[in-house]
Amino acid sequence: MMSRVTGVLALTLALLALGCARSPEPARVAAVTGLAPTPAPAPTPAPTWPDTAPAPDGPTSGTSPETFVAREELPDVHFASGEIRVERREWTTLDAVAVWLKANPGQLVIVEGYTDVVGPRAANLALAQRRARWVMDYLVTKGVPAERITAVARGESGTLCADRSATCQRRNRRVHFLVRESEPLQLSASPSR
């Protein structure tokens, strides 16, 4: 019985030693086998998603096809503090945005989410992303193709008002729309004949 335990223990130790042994160096493998080691392939870079939205404080005017601009027909929609859904009184505005985007199918839109300055920056950035995403999802339910919409979180950056009053902070809690003028615009939301 003792020799059996000793044999199992010796076998286990031998297997451990083999498993922990160093792998041969590539130069030695090449010398022994006559084959040059194949170099490891270079890692492919992670795809980058271009953020085509201009910085919040950057210029939004211009006429190049790559420029996203704010349009009068697409007013901001506002949120209650800490909420990710627009206030009920903003639904008609959001519905009008959906109608305009459907009437102008060649337009790409960036939905920028903003917050007030209350709370930690990281939490505000996450809240801004959730707001932008909620508006994007709402527009998709109204028939705007998701492929045309990019949701971007801006958080506390780009505040419209620096005062700490409730009225001022309400102006900062918004989603802002930018569109790329890639095709001729239809001037009204009603289809032309």
Side-chain angles (χ1 to χ4, degrees):
M1 175 80 168
M2 184 65 122
S3 66
R4 185 176 218 161
V5 171
T6 306
V8 170
L9 184 57
L11 181 61
T12 304
L13 289 175
L15 290 175
L16 274 174
L18 286 174
C20 294
R22 286 186 355 178
S23 59
E25 296 174 19
R28 287 188 184 171
V29 171
V32 172
T33 62
L35 300 173
T38 55
T44 55
T48 57
W49 185 264
D51 182 6
T52 54
D57 297 327
T60 57
S61 63
T63 57
S64 93
E66 294 81 29
T67 302
F68 282 79
V69 296
R71 294 201 49 91
E72 184 178 302
E73 298 89 344
L74 306 173
D76 294 350
V77 290
H78 297 89
F79 298 80
S81 182
E83 295 295 321
I84 62 167
R85 294 181 177 183
V86 295
E87 297 173 346
R88 185 175 280 288
R89 65 177 174 246
E90 300 282 343
W91 286 3
T92 55
T93 301
L94 203 50
D95 289 340
V97 168
V99 167
W100 189 90
L101 289 170
K102 289 191 317 187
N104 293 282
Q107 305 303 301
L108 300 178
V109 64
I110 294 175
V111 178
E112 295 182 314
Y114 291 91
T115 62
D116 56 26
V117 295
V118 176
R121 281 188 186 269
N124 283 339
L125 195 58
L127 178 60
Q129 182 63 40
R130 292 174 66 202
R131 285 176 174 167
R133 184 64 195 200
W134 185 87
V135 169
M136 176 183 170
D137 292 344
Y138 184 89
L139 293 172
V140 169
T141 65
K142 295 296 182 177
V144 180
E147 304 81 48
R148 293 178 48 206
I149 308 169
T150 301
V152 177
R154 299 291 190 206
E156 299 172 13
S157 64
T159 57
L160 297 177
C161 186
D163 182 9
R164 292 273 185 173
S165 70
T167 303
C168 175
Q169 292 305 311
R170 182 184 177 284
R171 289 182 55 211
N172 291 331
R173 295 187 303 266
R174 70 194 187 283
V175 159
H176 182 69
F177 302 96
L178 298 172
V179 293
R180 184 171 78 187
E181 302 190 25
S182 59
E183 292 184 4
L185 293 173
Q186 184 170 326
L187 296 178
S188 76
S190 58
S192 60
R193 298 182 190 231

